[in-house]
Amino acid sequence: NAQSFLKQAAKRLNIKEHRVKGRDDMMACDAYAAFDTRCYEGTDGRFYILNPGRTFPPVDFDVLSKRLGQSSSARGQSIFWRHFRPELLHALDKPLSSDAFNLVAYNGDRLQAEKDGKECTAATQSLITETVTEFSEEISNRSVQEIEVIHWSGEMHTRGLNLRMLGELRSR
């Protein structure tokens, strides 16, 4: 069924199962992707996913904005478009929630939702302090000729870095 299909996909992508508000905010339900993602089985027996845009968990923009000197977005809405890259998720020891920092995340007393947010915060800090640092050190050991021909987006994406981290990389 569609739920088991999403569960398998989440496992492959290192996305955490999490609780979200259910239909009409009445009953909580388990989610394996962002709360607004839908999966349907077609008449051809294949599964179709609608609204997969927020599948990847959000970075903690408060952490990024302090480090990168970027202004925060209005009302904290950057959780809807600033996400971890799939390559970084594969490198993490544990899965992250697609709905971290989102008010639809639900678990009774919100303890799990808070834990999910803390896990994304820790992953964001690791992205800045470890992943960017390691790539910066690797680049500094390359020759000028090698640096001149770097395919930046490919090199960064392979390591799970979004191109918006290029300024942070340069500052090192």
Side-chain angles (χ1 to χ4, degrees), residues 67-68 132-133 135-137 139-140 152 156 161 163-172:
R67 175 65 192 188
L68 306 179
V132 171
T133 301
F135 186 40
S136 173
E137 290 171 358
I139 289 173
S140 68
W152 288 101
M156 292 180 73
L161 296 171
L163 286 175
R164 68 175 163 267
M165 300 299 288
L166 191 57
E168 175 66 11
L169 185 64
R170 186 180 186 281
S171 71
R172 306 228 177 165

Side-chain angles (χ1 to χ4, degrees), residues 71-92:
S71 61
S72 60
S73 65
R75 300 183 319 267
Q77 297 295 307
S78 69
I79 63 169
F80 297 114
W81 67 84
R82 289 188 174 108
H83 301 128
F84 288 105
R85 290 201 51 83
E87 299 89 346
L88 185 76
L89 293 176
H90 284 292
L92 296 175

Side-chain angles (χ1 to χ4, degrees), residues 15-32:
I15 303 293
K16 182 180 195 176
E17 176 184 1
H18 57 284
R19 305 279 289 164
V20 295
K21 290 181 182 179
R23 186 178 196 91
D24 302 322
D25 291 343
M26 296 302 288
M27 297 179 61
C29 60
D30 294 328
Y32 299 99

Side-chain angles (χ1 to χ4, degrees), residues 1-44:
N1 68 16
Q3 189 73 350
S4 62
F5 175 79
L6 281 176
K7 185 175 183 177
Q8 289 174 0
K11 184 173 179 153
R12 290 181 62 195
L13 294 170
N14 208 18
I15 303 293
K16 182 180 195 176
E17 176 184 1
H18 57 284
R19 305 279 289 164
V20 295
K21 290 181 182 179
R23 186 178 196 91
D24 302 322
D25 291 343
M26 296 302 288
M27 297 179 61
C29 60
D30 294 328
Y32 299 99
F35 78 96
D36 55 348
T37 301
R38 301 289 180 258
C39 183
Y40 300 97
E41 186 172 3
T43 56
D44 59 0

